[in-house]
Amino acid sequence: TKEIEEALLAGRIDLAVHSAKDMPTVLPAGLAIVAVLPREDARDAFVGKAAKAIAELPRGAKVGSSSLRRQALIRRMRPDLDVVMFRGNVQTRLRKLDEGVAAGTILAYAGLKRLGLEHVATDLMPLDIFPPAPGQGAIGIESRIGDRDVEKMLTGIHDVRTGQALACERAFLAALDGSCRTPIAGHATIEAGTLSFAGLIISPDGTQSHTVELQGPAQDAARIGDEAARTVRARAGEKFFDGWL
């Protein structure tokens, strides 16, 4: 990402395509997300070898993930499971499953679909039980602020509703990102001009969590995300965020 952004700032490229959930909330000066593509399915997918669903895994089974959010949510669902670190790209993680390193893993369903690998998913995680990372399933296009030619070129592919949902989710994350050790989930949907947001903060061991739900006009997306963050932070207290450092 750093190399791509350096090329943007130097004018060697005019736009960069990113998975929105992997973009930091603070971008380099002079750069912005100028367009967002229509969102894919935001759910997480379970890929199981020993069982088709997390609920069906035997006690003590290993489940691999490198995501703090997914690890915490797995532990909340099944405290008896052994959650292990699982790194690498999608193909590497699938190979590890075949090698028996773990009995299952969780991956973004959007990523599997874009790779033509949706058939490997053995279960899809409900959004209310296993909420996604902010920005999951969305593709953001980054460019230089004020580059009118690029902005005009991208107007035709920008999805307004996804852009508003992403603005809300990123505002929520930005306002809570004081501790990178606190797992955070957030998902916004828009229907008839009304934005509905659900957010979650959870302890890494899955034993403590706080949720927030807010609605409002879609054009107030960033304000709703920020308000949701302040609400859930007030409920949890500052000690919640300090406890996982």
Side-chain angles (χ1 to χ4, degrees):
T1 300
K2 181 181 178 181
E3 291 176 357
I4 290 172
E5 289 177 333
E6 287 174 349
L8 275 175
L9 291 169
R12 296 195 301 275
I13 61 174
D14 295 312
L15 54 87
V17 181
H18 301 279
S19 172
K21 78 179 181 66
D22 296 329
M23 297 186 74
T25 54
V26 179
L27 301 179
L31 299 181
I33 300 173
V34 297
V36 182
L37 302 185
R39 193 172 208 162
E40 242 305 350
D41 197 316
R43 289 176 294 177
D44 278 311
F46 179 68
V47 182
K49 288 295 181 181
K52 290 187 176 181
I54 288 180
E56 299 170 5
L57 287 170
R59 290 182 61 86
K62 286 183 167 61
V63 179
S65 177
S66 60
S67 161
L68 287 176
R69 174 188 59 86
R70 289 172 180 152
Q71 290 176 359
L73 291 171
I74 293 167
R75 291 182 176 119
R76 181 171 72 169
M77 289 181 67
R78 290 285 307 272
D80 59 295
L81 296 178
D82 182 10
V83 182
V84 298
M85 186 61 68
F86 219 51
R87 297 192 184 278
N89 61 28
V90 171
Q91 290 83 354
T92 298
R93 297 182 197 197
L94 294 178
R95 189 190 73 243
K96 288 181 178 180
L97 286 184
D98 289 336
E99 294 171 350
V101 176
T105 188
I106 291 182
L107 300 167
Y109 191 46
L112 291 175
K113 291 182 74 174
R114 290 183 179 121
L115 290 169
L117 293 171
E118 60 264 43
H119 61 278
V120 305
T122 57
D123 193 28
L124 294 178
M125 311 304 293
L127 292 171
D128 57 339
I129 295 174
F130 213 93
Q136 185 158 309
I139 295 293
I141 303 177
E142 184 182 27
S143 188
R144 294 177 293 274
I145 296 173
D147 192 326
R148 302 304 178 195
D149 289 339
V150 172
E151 291 177 5
K152 182 178 180 182
M153 179 176 63
L154 296 173
T155 299
I157 62 171
H158 174 64
D159 187 75
V160 174
R161 290 200 305 173
T162 302
Q164 291 169 330
L166 184 60
C168 177
E169 294 167 20
R170 285 176 61 80
F172 179 72
L173 182 62
L176 289 175
D177 213 9
S179 167
C180 63
R181 299 298 301 174
T182 301
I184 298 170
H187 185 241
T189 57
I190 297 171
E191 192 68 41
T194 297
L195 183 147
S196 300
F197 175 77
L200 166 81
I201 56 174
I202 184 170
S203 60
D205 64 4
T207 61
Q208 302 176 51
S209 64
H210 298 274
T211 60
V212 59
E213 293 185 8
L214 285 181
Q215 284 189 330
Q219 61 265 30
D220 294 338
R223 179 194 60 77
I224 294 169
D226 183 74
E227 182 181 343
R230 287 187 282 107
T231 299
V232 79
R233 183 181 286 275
R235 289 176 183 170
E238 292 304 317
K239 289 185 178 180
F240 183 90
F241 297 89
D242 296 338
W244 329 119
L245 297 175

